Amino acid sequence: MIQPDKTTNTNWTLLFLCWLLVSVSATISIFFSSVLEYEPCVLCWYQRIFLFPLIFIFAMGLFPVFDKSVIRYALPLTIAGGLIALYHTLLYAGIIPANIQPCSQGVSCTEKYIELFGFVSIPMMSFFAFSTLVTLLIILKRRTSK
């Protein structure tokens, strides 16, 4: 039986952290909408579109052994989701004017459901998650391109 080297183990661990973060983020997202009954806005739905497939993409890259090609598929999704989350966070904070909001019908994109510690909103949590994923994937890309 071939033993994976230390680099492969570290890469697998980094990818597992990505999968874990995506799984927790998706679970929290579903909890907010299904259990707490917070209706998602348009931008929340777009972020979910980029988030949910990552659960399966990362899982496919983990088993049976680490597969570096997963980075090629996951990085564009995380960057796109992160950009939408950044836009949503800026909109929520009032930095982007209200007259260019995409949420003209239905739930407002600036609806205040939760603010942890007085300032951490749901859009900001999403932005932090996507930013962490992008960072981990860039680290993985650099580690595997050597």
Side-chain angles (χ1 to χ4, degrees), residues 28 32 92 113-122 124-125:
I28 289 171
F32 282 162
Y92 184 87
Y113 289 119
I114 294 176
E115 284 192 343
L116 300 174
F117 311 112
F119 71 96
V120 180
S121 62
I122 293 174
M124 189 179 287
M125 285 187 255

Side-chain angles (χ1 to χ4, degrees), residues 32-140:
F32 282 162
S33 61
S34 297
V35 176
L36 298 180
E37 297 182 358
Y38 297 160
E39 197 169 330
C41 69
V42 171
L43 291 176
C44 291
W45 279 113
Y46 289 142
Q47 291 168 65
R48 288 177 177 198
I49 289 168
F50 290 106
L51 181 73
F52 290 170
L54 291 170
I55 296 168
F56 303 105
I57 291 171
F58 289 139
M60 294 296 293
L62 287 170
F63 300 107
V65 292
F66 172 75
D67 182 6
K68 71 178 186 175
S69 67
V70 72
I71 300 165
R72 179 179 347 144
Y73 302 110
L75 195 55
L77 289 173
T78 57
I79 290 171
L83 289 173
I84 293 170
L86 175 63
Y87 177 78
H88 194 182
T89 301
L90 294 174
L91 188 67
Y92 184 87
I95 296 170
I96 295 177
N99 61 350
I100 60 170
Q101 285 188 28
C103 305
S104 59
Q105 295 179 2
V107 178
S108 170
C109 288
T110 57
E111 183 74 32
K112 294 187 185 338
Y113 289 119
I114 294 176
E115 284 192 343
L116 300 174
F117 311 112
F119 71 96
V120 180
S121 62
I122 293 174
M124 189 179 287
M125 285 187 255
S126 177
F127 177 67
F128 287 153
F130 278 114
S131 298
T132 303
L133 288 169
V134 168
T135 303
L136 288 172
L137 287 172
I138 289 172
I139 291 169
L140 267 173

